[in-house]
């Protein structure tokens, strides 16, 4: 890998995160709505063929943020529909995003065991 691939991943991922932070700071949207919007936007951008060139250019800078989760869902569905027909529309998203889902579960469990919960207020 060349150092420019790292630079591209850094600035694209940083730009996505900066736009999200501006949305959190400047709008009345809750973080949960912004997160869901990012996943849906990732699916939409992949469906119209816009996000794949971004992934090819930025690598992990485009696949690690939540837009990338939507991208993985859409890519998995498209592949599964091509292989299994209509049934693939229901199974492909989970298959395409299984690595991210498994990592979230494992890391969530590990940090839940390591953290010390505190009462709010």
């Amino acid at each position: 890998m060349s150092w420019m691939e790292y630079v591209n991943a850094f600035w694209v991922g940083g730009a996505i995160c900066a736009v999200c932070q501006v949305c959190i700071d400047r709008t009345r949207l809750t973080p949960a709505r912004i997160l869901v919007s990012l996943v849906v936007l990732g699916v939409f951008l992949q469906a119209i063929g816009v996000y794949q060139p971004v992934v090819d250019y930025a690598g992990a800078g485009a696949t690690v943020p939540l837009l990338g989760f939507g991208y993985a869902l859409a890519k998995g569905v498209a592949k599964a529909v091509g292989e299994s027909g209509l049934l693939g529309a229901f199974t492909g998203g989970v298959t395409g995003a299984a690595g991210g889902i498994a990592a979230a579960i494992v890391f969530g469990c590990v940090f839940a065991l390591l953290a010390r919960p505190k009462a709010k207020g």
Side-chain angles (χ1 to χ4, degrees):
M1 288 185 73
S2 73
W3 65 275
M4 272 311 288
E5 290 177 277
Y6 293 109
V7 170
N8 293 338
F10 178 78
W11 82 261
V12 171
I16 292 169
C17 293
V19 168
C20 294
Q21 188 63 48
V22 168
C23 289
I24 290 171
D25 293 343
R26 302 283 184 198
T27 68
R28 295 181 55 152
L29 293 172
T30 63
R33 288 185 177 173
I34 293 170
L35 296 175
V36 170
S37 299
L38 287 171
V39 173
V40 171
L41 183 61
V43 170
F44 177 74
L45 291 175
Q46 176 62 18
I48 63 172
V50 174
Y51 206 67
Q52 186 62 50
V54 176
V55 170
D56 294 340
Y57 175 76
T63 58
V64 170
L66 280 172
L67 282 170
F69 183 69
Y71 156 79
L73 289 172
K75 193 171 179 179
V77 167
K79 181 180 176 188
V81 166
E83 294 173 356
S84 305
L86 183 59
L87 182 62
F90 300 104
T91 61
V94 175
T95 304
I101 294 169
I105 292 170
V106 168
F107 288 121
C109 290
V110 167
F111 285 110
L113 292 172
L114 297 176
R116 296 178 191 228
K118 296 179 183 177
K120 291 185 179 182

